[in-house]
Amino acid sequence: MHEAAYAFTGYIYPNEAKLLWSVLIVLYPYITGLVAGAFILASLLSVFRVKAVHPTYRLALLTSLSFLLVATLPLLAHLGHPERSFEIFVTPHTSSAMAMFGFVYAWYLMLVLCVEIWFEYRADMVRWAGECKGLKRLIYRIITLWDDDTSPRSVQMDHKIAYAVTVIGIPSAFLLHGYVGFIFGSVKANPYWASVLMPVVFLFSAIVSGIALVLLLYQVTAHLRWKKADMACLDTVGRYLLYALIVDFALEGLDVIHRIYVAEESFDILSLMVTGKLFLTLVIAQVLLGGLVPMLALASTLVFRIPDKTRQWLYVVVSLLVLQGIFFMRWNVVIGGQLFSKSLLGFTTYKLDIAGREGAMVALIIMGLPFIILTVLTWLLPPWVDNDAAPGDHGATDKPEAAAVPAQASAK
Amino acid sequence: MPRYLVRLIIIFVLGAVAVLAIRQFMVPASFYQLGHYRASVLPEVAAQEPVYAGHAACEECHGDVLEVKEKGRHTGLSCEVCHGAAATHAADPSSTKPFTELDRSFCLVCHEKNISRPAGFPMVDGLAHNIKEDCRKCHKPHSPSPNKGEEK
């Protein structure tokens, strides 16, 4: 207690001394955002027919699933008693935004993402079941429900259903992450959070982070497999990242301008916080390194002729910068919203522990889990699209159009 | 309709039925009776034995201590704030003895310097005020004004 007393500035209420929502609550919107963003990138091909992003399509879907599977872990670790989480499904409380998130999450996981991936991969899994032996064969058999129907009619039907699921999936992904923004935006007692723009800002920052993650993963996996990344694909994904960044940046700018112009009574304390305690994480990490620098770098690829190799490196650096920028955006919202006193006259401090249930180690483990899941998923459901696929590499689709593009043709 | 699609639909229907069936088992019988909680929890809570004896029970035997306390600045505090729940001791004094909180961090729960406490409230900087000393060396918990004789 007396250690904490030294962390106060000005006047704060006793119950504001210790931040209750820690780094784990920062991870929750971050991971959920990556899920929604990766799915939106996948929908560029399946719904909006941006054929150039085809090499990232399946990877984006698997990335989305890998992160969705751990999206609730930070919350469960933070609250303790994970076994009680089922109560929100058993006795749903419609007046609680957080409780209803369980249903939004379950809908998105069970009826959107898993179904879409299943229809996307079904015909391939039937084929792989015939080619593989042992455990893998058994897994494919179970997942394909012991049916080896790969007739053109059934494949066409798969594509139609996958298309329909993606069409439902886009508003669902918007709902999933808009909802996270809504949870913060609807806390009317907190002037830093309470904003109708919050769900929209969260949504676009989610799209930004998801696209950046898939852009990075695509290049890293291509490098690890000794394959050449498709430059046309990288350029297209990079362009969409730029568009999303511009919209996200404009929305956040609008929020800031609105706050400056309206200058409510909380404005003084918030501006003190932004220029003081949050200067590094907000002005430097989020706005400068996570927003302006990536936007300028991406815009430069459209204006200047940059060699492929340099451009590829630029995309890697931009993805990393954007990913850290969005992480700090979540940090600034979650931690920033608890740093100032509701008396609007003082601040407290947040110190990130290394160990402990809410420490950096747990956060790192939770952030690492999706990558382990993704590795297993890519082993089971190879998402790679290589024109120079080696024979027997059943993960590769020999013709990029073979897997997903007919989906558009048949869906038309 | 392809066979795999029929199987998939059956799995989803079975899943939905399973969820509804599990819900039947998991929702306690009295859950929605009075509101969004178990109605049966009320008699359960009411049946619990109180663990606190209350101020009056202490007064019966420890009048001498209370006399000192009433004249001091801790007069508003109940005995059990510092000595813990004492219902079992009040019922049978020889069975258990209430503990006494001796650690200085316990005193600092209320007396650590904190800008948000009322003006004039006795506060000390726990890291500077006679660090490592037992508070009771200078302050008597039952009448805690500083012992002027000992304080330099």
Side-chain angles (χ1 to χ4, degrees):
Chain A
M1 180 71 188
H2 50 264
E3 275 172 26
Y6 287 89
F8 309 150
T9 319
Y11 182 96
I12 75 160
Y13 296 122
N15 63 339
E16 294 169 331
K18 192 175 171 355
L19 265 73
L20 296 175
W21 287 7
S22 66
V23 68
L24 295 182
I25 306 300
V26 177
L27 284 190
Y28 157 63
Y30 186 55
I31 293 177
T32 324
L34 294 171
V35 173
F39 185 84
I40 299 294
L41 178 65
S43 70
L44 277 182
L45 176 79
S46 54
V47 177
F48 301 106
R49 289 159 201 164
V50 183
K51 288 183 184 171
V53 302
H54 180 237
T56 61
Y57 175 66
R58 287 182 166 191
L59 181 64
L61 284 180
L62 296 186
T63 306
S64 193
L65 180 60
S66 313
F67 278 83
L68 190 63
L69 288 174
V70 298
T72 54
L73 265 192
L75 294 179
L76 297 179
H78 167 76
L79 291 170
H81 287 289
E83 79 284 359
R84 290 184 190 164
S85 63
F86 296 104
E87 301 284 342
I88 64 170
F89 294 106
V90 176
T91 50
H93 210 310
T94 47
S95 64
S96 159
M98 198 64 235
M100 293 320 284
F101 178 80
F103 288 90
V104 176
Y105 174 87
W107 160 268
Y108 191 72
L109 174 67
M110 305 299 290
L111 289 165
V112 175
L113 209 49
C114 284
V115 172
E116 166 141 6
I117 291 175
W118 193 78
F119 280 107
E120 169 62 28
Y121 273 98
R122 198 195 61 82
D124 283 339
M125 284 193 291
V126 170
R127 184 162 58 84
W128 296 335
E131 290 170 6
C132 296
K133 283 181 182 153
L135 179 70
K136 222 171 172 181
R137 180 191 169 93
L138 181 69
I139 296 172
Y140 288 137
R141 281 252 174 259
I142 294 171
I143 301 178
T144 54
L145 309 177
W146 265 278
D147 191 274
D148 52 5
D149 184 356
T150 51
S151 64
R153 200 176 133 264
S154 66
V155 172
Q156 200 178 11
M157 187 175 259
D158 287 356
H159 290 322
K160 272 189 180 165
I161 295 173
Y163 176 80
V165 171
T166 320
V167 171
I168 301 166
I170 295 173
S172 302
F174 275 45
L175 179 69
L176 181 79
H177 203 67
Y179 209 101
V180 179
F182 175 80
I183 288 171
F184 286 98
S186 57
V187 180
K188 61 184 173 188
N190 189 321
Y192 194 54
W193 289 340
S195 160
V196 281
L197 268 183
M198 200 62 113
V200 195
V201 168
F202 261 62
L203 186 59
F204 275 90
S205 55
I207 296 174
V208 167
S209 64
I211 296 178
L213 177 67
V214 178
L215 183 62
L216 181 70
L217 282 175
Y218 174 59
Q219 292 179 87
V220 171
T221 51
H223 181 76
L224 289 176
R225 295 181 309 116
W226 299 95
K227 303 281 180 190
K228 203 172 172 307
D230 182 340
M231 280 316 287
C233 170
L234 287 183
D235 287 336
T236 312
V237 176
R239 214 168 54 242
Y240 278 97
L241 179 58
L242 175 62
Y243 300 154
L245 258 176
I246 291 171
V247 177
D248 181 40
F249 203 73
L251 282 169
E252 287 187 40
L254 185 63
D255 189 38
V256 173
I257 291 166
H258 178 257
R259 281 171 193 273
I260 293 172
Y261 185 72
V262 175
E264 285 183 7
E265 56 178 350
S266 60
F267 181 72
D268 288 340
I269 189 89
L270 295 184
S271 58
L272 256 178
M273 180 171 75
V274 168
T275 51
K277 280 183 178 279
L278 292 186
F279 184 79
L280 263 183
T281 54
L282 200 150
V283 181
I284 303 295
Q286 183 190 332
V287 178
L288 189 70
L289 295 177
L292 288 173
V293 172
M295 269 198 287
L296 287 175
L298 288 171
S300 71
T301 62
L302 301 178
V303 178
F304 304 110
R305 201 179 286 248
I306 300 171
D308 282 5
K309 196 83 186 160
T310 319
R311 220 159 65 242
Q312 215 170 334
W313 273 111
L314 190 133
Y315 288 135
V316 171
V317 174
V318 161
S319 312
L320 287 170
L321 282 178
V322 166
L323 284 171
Q324 69 81 35
I326 300 297
F327 174 78
F328 281 112
M329 183 260 173
R330 314 298 192 216
W331 175 282
N332 294 326
V333 169
V334 175
I335 304 296
Q338 302 169 85
L339 283 181
F340 66 96
S341 167
K342 303 300 173 290
S343 67
L344 309 180
L345 291 171
F347 294 109
T348 185
T349 301
Y350 174 58
K351 187 172 167 289
L352 176 61
D353 296 328
I354 300 295
R357 206 179 76 196
E358 311 244 349
M361 302 269 269
V362 172
L364 280 174
I365 290 170
I366 290 176
M367 262 328 278
L369 271 178
F371 295 99
I372 297 170
I373 296 172
L374 185 61
T375 310
V376 176
L377 281 179
T378 53
W379 166 77
L380 190 66
L381 306 169
W384 323 121
V385 177
D386 299 314
N387 292 325
D388 54 347
D393 179 4
H394 67 241
T397 310
D398 294 338
K399 290 176 188 163
E401 281 73 24
V405 174
Q408 285 89 62
S410 57
K412 276 179 192 173
Chain B
M1 194 185 283
R3 209 167 36 182
Y4 65 87
L5 215 52
V6 176
R7 288 178 187 173
L8 188 70
I9 292 168
I10 290 172
I11 287 175
F12 269 97
V13 171
L14 286 178
V17 170
V19 168
L20 291 175
I22 290 168
R23 190 169 180 269
Q24 286 301 314
F25 280 107
M26 283 185 74
V27 179
S30 65
F31 195 82
Y32 290 105
Q33 219 169 316
L34 296 173
H36 199 85
Y37 62 93
R38 268 189 311 126
S40 61
V41 81
L42 298 179
E44 279 172 33
V45 172
Q48 284 175 4
E49 285 289 323
V51 291
Y52 286 95
H55 200 263
C58 307
E59 217 166 334
E60 281 176 25
C61 307
H62 303 284
D64 51 331
V65 181
L66 279 155
E67 216 169 279
V68 178
K69 191 164 94 70
E70 268 165 19
K71 288 179 192 148
R73 297 184 72 176
H74 274 173
T75 182
L77 290 182
S78 176
C79 306
E80 288 164 298
V81 170
C82 302
H83 292 288
T88 47
H89 172 73
D92 178 11
S94 59
S95 64
T96 53
K97 283 208 114 190
F99 68 92
T100 307
E101 188 63 71
L102 300 175
D103 195 75
R104 75 187 250 127
S105 67
F106 183 72
C107 307
L108 288 172
V109 169
C110 297
H111 296 289
E112 174 64 67
K113 204 182 223 173
N114 186 335
I115 197 164
S116 60
R117 296 198 208 283
F121 189 83
M123 288 182 281
V124 294
D125 182 343
L127 292 177
H129 181 83
N130 297 327
I131 192 160
K132 290 181 184 169
E133 289 289 358
D134 186 344
C135 301
R136 293 175 308 153
K137 207 169 167 185
C138 302
H139 308 275
K140 292 188 175 65
H142 292 134
S143 180
S145 294
N147 185 338
K148 303 285 182 202
E150 285 174 37
E151 200 178 54
K152 296 278 188 263

